[in-house]
Structures are given as structure tokens and as C-alpha cells.
Amino acid sequence: MDVLRRNHVVLTGPEDGPPVLLAHGFGCDQHMWRLVEPMLSATCRVIMFDFVGAGRSDRTEWSAARYSTLDGYARDVAEICRDLDLRDVVFVGHSVSAMIGLLADQLEPDRFSKLVMVTPSPCYLDDGEYRGGFSRADIDELLESLDSNYLGWSAAMAPIIMGNPDRPELGRELTNSFCRMDPRIAQVFARATFLSDNRPDLAAVRVPTLILQCAQDAIAPPEVGAYVHASIPGSTLVTLDATGHCPQLSAPAQTASAIRSFIDEPR
Amino acid sequence: MDRRRAQIDAAVAEENAGSDALYEDAPCGHLSTLPDGTIIRMNDTLLSWLGRAREDLVGWRRFSDLLTVGGRIHYETHLAPLLAMQGTVGEIAVELRTADGARLPVLMSSVATRDDDGNLSRIRSVVFEARDRRTYESELLRARREADGERDRFQRLAGVLQRTLLPPQLPEVPAIETAAYYHPASLDEVGGDFYDLFRLPDQRWGFFLGDVCGKGASAAALTSLARYTLRSAAVHDPDPVAVLTNLNSVLAQEQDGFNPRFCTVLFGILAPAPDHATITLAGGGHPPPLVLRADGTADFVDLAGGQLVGALADPVFVRADVDLAPGDTLLLYTDGLTEARVDTARNRYDEHDLRRLAGSLAPASAAGIVGSLTGLLEGFGDGLDDDAALLAIGVART
């Protein structure tokens, strides 16, 4: 199987630069990294990909059985690392991919040198003392909205031409792929994401870890970032002056510079 | 925090300068927010849809506060990134929460504007009520689900019916190896290929493989008729030509002019003996079977001249005797195999190709040749547009 084609793997930056693997989260695809990628690829070997089912991945390789738990996505990451024989990788995972990275590190323990978790949450559901930010009813409502607003999710995912008249090719590219996901696939990914609980895995992380969070985030609120920070031994927490769940888009320069200084830190 | 407050207040004042009736009373909602979603202007129409007072929302709440939880996640994970990257989104279906907790389905289009430094400064949106569209969509979705369910049910039914027309597994024949394979052309329809192997008195065995015209329910009925006629005719008079003649009379009575009822069949009687087996075959319009010999050769059994069963009042059926030594295997197949398209130029796999392949595979056991041909059939992919059936009978090597 051709993993690089299956996951639409894109490599940029100098071949001998330190490898940085960028993993997108639930919603959209590797285009989420569009604004930070140029800032990283000046010195780093940047590897971007789409999870199977997202973006321009090979959807014929998708199966509900494999991708209904985060382990399936972690296997995508592990297989890309094996295929490219990546060593000393800095893994950058956005949103749910922060936890996918942690699971991939368990599958391939000697590949990752550092982990960067961008707006992570180990568990979206409230549970006793723990505040994930969502009740079970909230998540059921999300899954129900994916179901009932089927055409909304699918049609809404077909974006219109980008406001980029000087680079029309970008508009076409995005029109064809960006943020488009078969609602059935999105449903499975949403369930895997929002019903996962990786809290027990946090304490076992052995690689240096940076947690990037936003001051305001409706999906992963600051308390959740603080919980991840407290649970991963020796981790660093940086709160960006940004709002929303996607600082790589709302504050790309801050995000890229935080990632770069973390890459440059001696281990 | 005060600095933030002052920024929001200034933005509210700037955005609301020069209000007019066209904006406030437009037949659609108007909404302006800061890049972080803070609402800085909303028109009367949208406020009335939401049942909210301007002073409760403008300058205080974020757009995502108006969404259902599902909508909020959708917004943060899909729409906010799209807006940040494309600067615009169009006809997005979202649900807003009104003051009394009800859901208001809307379609929304948004444009992000940037300041002189290129930073996002405002997001301006128009909002259209979409209750009717949502009802229509739900109806479409329900119809689609129903159609999916019906198709699944139909495929299950066709699958069950198909299985009743084939033996669940071939009976064990002492010192004889057998194997069979059936590939349905479609999950939606019962195919027209059939085969069977069954015990007769005096240590003899009957077997047949055939192909009825047509597909679907009428083919299933015809297959069922052919199968039971062949079985009972063989008990009555096991001479293969007599069996086919009997089937011909039965099918001829069934013809009604509108639904032609005929088939091609190979029928055989197998008589295992110590160290070999004799087979008497009769063919009615069916592609000739192959014998793969222990010495590595493969040849057709000559049944040329046999005519379709059920189509003529007095058809000719041709008989042949085959002796199988240890290591020899007889292969029966349907034209699904020999008429599969092998390329886009409409070239088809044919009997010569099959004989060449059989020659390269011989000697082969029954399971071996059926296994190889199963692989070949699967390799045809979409080129295999008809049903295909295989039945192989061989004498075990000693």
C-alpha cells in the first residue's frame, strides 16, 4: 500500500532540516497549516498529510471499523513515520490530533523527539471533578446535528472561491478539497473525537511536550489546557493571545514562533 | 480588560454609525462581529427572530453563544477556519437558539474584511430563515434513508433466494475431489447460473451446471424449475441425453411467448471406480467443459452441436464420455468467465484464453483450479458483468 498517496503526504522545506510532522484535527485537512507552514519550512523539513477520509486522502481506504477509534488515526501517523523512516520527529497535533500523536508515540516509541499539542483536550466530556466543557447531551446534540443537518454539513463544506485573486490556483485547490468531508465519515470522526478519553495516557508521556492554548476557546477551554499541562510530567504550557480553536489560523505568527523556539530548545 | 471594553465600544459605535430602515427592517438578518465573534451590530429583523434585546447581545455576546452546541463545534472546527482562510463563506446551514430555547434553522453568508495591515477586522453576515428548506431537506434525507434501507432489504432477500438455488455445500463423494464457486453479477438481482451435485442409486452421482436466460425473479423461478426437473429426471432415467430431453419438454410447456424460457446446461453422470472415474456427459448449447490431465495437458470435451434447452421442439443434445484417471480434473464453467471484458477496448476473455490458462495450470486438483479461476474472476473487477459459476470434479492422485 502506498501510504504517501493514501494520506496525501506533502513534504516541504530542506531535506536535512529537523522533521516536523503537522497533523490536522477534526474538521478540514492539512490546509489548516497553510499559514504556519511557510514559517516552519524555512528551516525545518515539514511533513503534512490528510487523515484517511479527509481532504485529498484516498477515501477508498477508509473503513468505519478502523476509524471509529483514535487508534486508527494513530496508525495512519505511525505508518507515515515508518514509510518515510522518520526519526527525531517533532509531532505537532491540532485539537484531537494532540491525543492521536500521543497514541502514535505509543505505537512507534522511538520516532518522536518532541510533542506539540495545539489546543488539546484529553476528554471533551465533563466527568466528576473534571471539566471537559461538554455534557453527554451536548455531544449527542452534535452527533444529532451531523445527522439531521446532513445537507448543511455536506453542502456547507463546499466552499466558494477564495478571496485571493492574485493566486487563483489556490482558490481552485481549496474549492475542490478543503474542509470537505463525507458526512458519514465526519460522523465517525466526530464520535471518535468527542467520546474519547485519553486522560490515563497523559502521565505516560516521556518526550518533552509543549501545550499551546488560546485565551478563549469554546472547544478546549483554558482549564483543559491546564489539566493537560499538570498531567504530563515536565510539559510546558503557552497561552497565546488569540481566540477560537485554531490559533494556527487566527494567530499564525505567534503559533509558528512558539513551535520554532520549542524545536530549538535543547532536549 | 478595560482596554478590551473600550475597543469593543469603539467598534460598536463605528459599526452602528448611520443606521437606516433598509438595514434594520430588511427581510433578512444582518450581523457584524469582531474576528473573535463578539457581536457589534445586529439588525431589528434578526433580533426579533431571536426574541432578544439589542442591549443584551450587541457588545456583549459572541456569535457562537447564539448557536446550539453542535452548531458551535461545527462553527469552530469548520466555519471559522474557512472564514479565516477564504475570507468568505456562503449559504452555510446553521441553527440559532432563540430566547425561548427554540431552534431557528438559517442559511448564512459571511464576508471577512481586513484592516490596512491585512489583519481580520470585521465579519459581516446576512442570515436567511430556512425552516422550509430544512423541512424539505429532512424529507429528502428521510427518503434517502428509506431507499437505503429498502435496497439493503432487497439485497438480503436476493442473497437468500440465490443461496436456495445453489447447494449450500457439495456432498462428499468417496475418492473424488470436488469444488465449486459462484460469482453473482449484482447484489440486487438473483443471477441465472446454477449448478448441483447429488447422489443417485448404484454409487453413481448426477451433476449439472447451466445458465438460464435473464436475471431477477423470472430467472430465479426458471432456475428452480430447471434444477428440480434435472434432479427428478435423473432418478427416473439417468441417461444424460434423456435428462436434457425431459427438461426440454418441461421448459417448452412453460413458454408463453412473452418470457422466453430456455437455458444452456451440461448434465453428467459420475461413476467412481477404483483408481479412476467414468463420466457420461450431455451438452445443450453450453460452452464445452475442460479436462485438465495429470500429464499437464488440458483439452475441451467435444460437445459441439448441442442445442439450447427449451427453445426448440426437437433439439439435438450431444453426448460424450470422459474417463478421469488419478490427477485428472473436469472443469465446468459458464460464459460469465469466458465473456468477461479484460480491457477497455471491449476485448473479452475467451475459451482459447481459458484453455491456455488451464494448460499452464495442469495438473491441478478441483480445489486448485477453482481457486486459481476465482482469483482470475476477482481480477476482472468491473469487466465481469455477468454471473459466473464453476464446478470441478477430479480423481484424487494416488
Side-chain angles (χ1 to χ4, degrees), chain A residues 141 147 159-160 163 178 216 243, chain B residues 36 62 68-70 82 85-86:
Chain A
E141 193 203 280
D147 221 27
I160 43 177
F178 178 67
Q216 295 262 10
T243 46
Chain B
D36 70 359
R62 288 171 200 275
T68 58
V69 176
L82 274 174
M85 273 190 269
Q86 302 182 170

Side-chain angles (χ1 to χ4, degrees), chain B residues 33-68:
Chain B
T33 70
L34 294 176
D36 70 359
T38 305
I39 297 166
I40 55 172
R41 193 176 182 190
M42 190 181 280
N43 73 346
D44 287 344
T45 307
L46 185 51
L47 285 165
S48 76
W49 286 351
L50 295 172
R52 300 273 193 177
R54 176 171 278 110
E55 55 273 21
D56 293 341
L57 296 182
V58 175
W60 299 103
R61 306 305 292 265
R62 288 171 200 275
F63 173 66
S64 57
D65 295 339
L66 303 177
L67 299 172
T68 58

Side-chain angles (χ1 to χ4, degrees), chain A residues 26-27 31 34 134 138 141-142 144 147 149-153 157 159-160 162-163 178 194 216 243 245 249, chain B residues 36 62 68-70 73-74 76-78 81-82 85-86 88 90 92-93 97 103 134 137 141 144-145:
Chain A
F26 171 70
H31 283 99
R34 196 167 71 88
F134 296 92
D138 290 338
E141 193 203 280
L142 164 72
E144 196 257 353
D147 221 27
N149 195 6
Y150 188 93
L151 296 184
W153 281 76
M157 293 315 110
I160 43 177
M162 219 178 126
F178 178 67
F194 290 102
Q216 295 262 10
T243 46
H245 188 55
L249 290 173
Chain B
D36 70 359
R62 288 171 200 275
T68 58
V69 176
I73 294 174
H74 183 193
E76 295 289 345
T77 56
H78 289 77
L82 274 174
M85 273 190 269
Q86 302 182 170
T88 159
I92 301 293
R97 275 244 185 260
R103 295 178 186 195
R134 186 59 52 82
E137 283 178 0
L141 188 60
R144 183 195 152 126
R145 290 217 179 94

Side-chain angles (χ1 to χ4, degrees), chain A residues 72-142:
Chain A
Y73 303 83
R75 277 166 62 196
D76 276 18
V77 173
E79 283 159 12
I80 291 167
C81 288
R82 273 205 298 275
D83 205 78
L84 292 170
D85 195 23
L86 298 175
R87 305 271 166 192
D88 291 322
V89 188
V90 177
F91 178 91
V92 183
H94 174 229
S95 191
V96 68
S97 273
M99 296 304 129
I100 291 170
L102 172 159
L103 297 173
D105 184 42
Q106 293 173 4
L107 291 175
E108 292 280 308
D110 299 323
R111 302 276 181 188
F112 297 164
S113 63
K114 294 178 179 178
L115 285 179
V116 180
M117 299 183 165
V118 183
T119 60
S121 175
C123 180
Y124 294 90
L125 288 176
D126 296 337
D127 176 27
E129 296 284 292
Y130 175 80
R131 282 277 150 279
F134 296 92
S135 65
R136 178 68 208 215
D138 290 338
I139 300 302
D140 286 343
E141 193 203 280
L142 164 72

Side-chain angles (χ1 to χ4, degrees), chain A residues 94 119 212-225 238-248 250-251 254, chain B residues 1 4-5 8 35-38 60-65 72 75-76 80:
Chain A
H94 174 229
T119 60
L212 286 181
Q213 65 174 15
C214 292
Q216 295 262 10
D217 183 345
I219 310 245
E223 310 85 79
V224 172
V238 171
T239 302
L240 301 166
D241 181 19
T243 46
H245 188 55
C246 309
Q248 69 271 54
S250 60
Q254 277 188 69
Chain B
M1 210 54 217
R4 177 87 190 129
R5 186 71 255 156
I8 292 174
D36 70 359
T38 305
W60 299 103
R61 306 305 292 265
R62 288 171 200 275
F63 173 66
S64 57
D65 295 339
R72 198 173 304 156
Y75 180 83
E76 295 289 345

Side-chain angles (χ1 to χ4, degrees), chain B residues 385-396:
Chain B
D385 46 17
D386 195 3
D387 312 299
L390 304 172
L391 174 63
I393 297 169
V395 177

Side-chain angles (χ1 to χ4, degrees), chain B residues 108-129:
Chain B
M108 191 173 86
S109 295
S110 304
V111 176
T113 58
R114 292 177 185 275
D115 61 22
D116 295 340
D117 298 329
N119 298 314
L120 281 185
S121 61
R122 299 273 192 281
I123 296 166
R124 297 199 178 100
S125 310
V126 286
V127 177
F128 293 91
E129 227 187 318

